[in-house]
Amino acid sequence: MRDMANRHAQHVLITGGAGFIGTNLSAHLLAHTDATVTIFDNLSRRGVELNLAWLKTLAGSRRLRFVRGDVRHEERIVQAARAADEIYHLAAPSAGPDLLAEPRLDFDVNVTGTINVLEAARRSGKRPLVLFASTGKVYGTLDFIPLKHTPMRVEPTEPAFHGISETTPIDVYCPYSCTKSVADQYVRDYARHHGLPTVVLRLGCIAGPGQFGNQGQGWVAHFVYSALAGRPVTVYGDGTQVRDVLHVSDLVNAVNAARVYVPVVAGKAFNIGGDIARSVSLKEMIALIEQICHRKLQCSYEPARPGDQMCYVSDNSRFSNQTGWMPRRSLEQTVRDVSAFWHANRMFVTQPPEAMRRKSIVRAA
């Protein structure tokens, strides 16, 4: 696969760029391109100020720019996007039950914010690539998939099951999946009606170094950090529900593939995740974490959350066939990398946000 450096973008804009995925993408761009990288972020998430401070220590950071802003503010994002050749739209509220109580926040960020980004791209006149991070949650509960239950995991009864493909009907269930699916559609429509080269990536579970996991999002990191710190976790459901887990570095490589193959992938949506080889139930992940971290994870169980998918595994084949991208890192490596990040940064990972502002994070070389 060709490297990002083969494209000569001069200006890259990343909304939500101080977050987990945005930080890893920014670091890669600074290391492998000559582009000016502008992070557009309102710094509302836990740990993002530390991510931003870490990026400023990297070689190439002279090309890093930071704009504190919110995608809900139209003129702010229009100004930030004016010179962009590529826009990576990662800004989003955290997925979780809190959005049930704050549907307007969810709508304003995911829908209005996405329209603001698309309009900023259109009005710039530069026809920038716009890549949008969507979610596999747009497919709903997937309760039409017949499953068999074993003590450790659920399994599709269909032997030829290779994961959820893009032909699966959109069937939103919760506010987050509803607004993400609307934004998803708008991004593709701007390719059809305005000629913008846009790409939608519907992501599974992403994990890796630099993630500040919590109960609602970033569950792998949340479980690893809790095991290492001796904190209990709550499992919603019986723990047999299955997810695929993709290392964030593999996701960055998928973004690379999308930008290299823009003429092929523009205007389309793709499922991106760990695939069948990296599918794991919560119970299996807990056992793997205990094996790698040499710590027992204390778990309590609560009823499953409404709308939770019992089995979600991404079928990456459409994207792989069109770009050559494939995930490379194993579940074991992902857990080891998350654990290594905790060991290098335990002083702030377990601290409240106000204490974290006084510290600096460390990453493996």
Side-chain angles (χ1 to χ4, degrees), residues 14-68:
I14 308 176
T15 70
F20 164 53
I21 295 173
T23 299
N24 282 276
L25 177 58
S26 297
H28 191 89
L29 288 165
L30 291 173
H32 297 284
T33 77
D34 295 323
T36 297
V37 178
T38 299
I39 288 176
F40 186 92
D41 201 298
N42 65 5
L43 301 182
S44 61
R45 291 200 187 204
R46 179 178 182 268
V48 294
E49 291 178 338
L50 292 168
N51 286 339
L52 191 59
W54 174 73
L55 286 170
K56 291 177 180 177
T57 69
L58 302 181
S61 61
R62 67 188 184 281
R63 293 181 281 107
L64 180 69
R65 305 288 182 268
F66 171 66
V67 176
R68 185 162 189 167

Side-chain angles (χ1 to χ4, degrees), residues 93-164:
S94 296
D98 290 346
L99 293 181
L100 291 170
E102 296 187 78
R104 189 173 299 279
L105 169 66
D106 182 51
F107 184 91
D108 288 347
V109 175
N110 281 341
V111 179
T112 304
T114 297
I115 293 173
N116 287 343
V117 169
L118 291 167
E119 276 296 284
R122 184 182 66 84
R123 289 165 58 182
S124 75
K126 293 176 66 70
R127 295 189 69 251
L129 164 67
V130 180
L131 185 146
F132 173 59
S134 186
T135 172
K137 293 181 183 296
V138 300
Y139 297 117
T141 60
L142 300 171
D143 53 9
F144 60 86
I145 299 174
L147 301 172
K148 62 181 179 181
H149 293 257
T150 72
M152 289 298 290
R153 65 185 288 155
V154 295
E155 293 275 8
T157 58
E158 172 56 56
F161 179 78
H162 297 295
I164 304 302

Side-chain angles (χ1 to χ4, degrees), residues 184-247:
D184 184 314
Q185 184 66 52
Y186 266 108
V187 172
R188 287 179 290 143
D189 280 349
Y190 266 69
R192 297 172 186 139
H193 300 302
H194 299 293
L196 282 178
T198 68
V199 184
V200 173
L201 301 185
R202 295 172 181 162
L203 305 181
C205 297
I206 312 300
Q211 190 168 26
F212 295 87
N214 56 51
Q215 195 75 47
Q217 199 167 43
W219 67 275
V220 175
H222 174 61
F223 280 17
V224 172
Y225 298 161
S226 297
L228 292 168
R231 297 193 309 262
V233 299
T234 301
V235 175
Y236 292 91
D238 63 6
T240 63
Q241 57 265 50
V242 169
R243 300 290 183 268
D244 61 356
V245 178
L246 183 70
H247 195 290

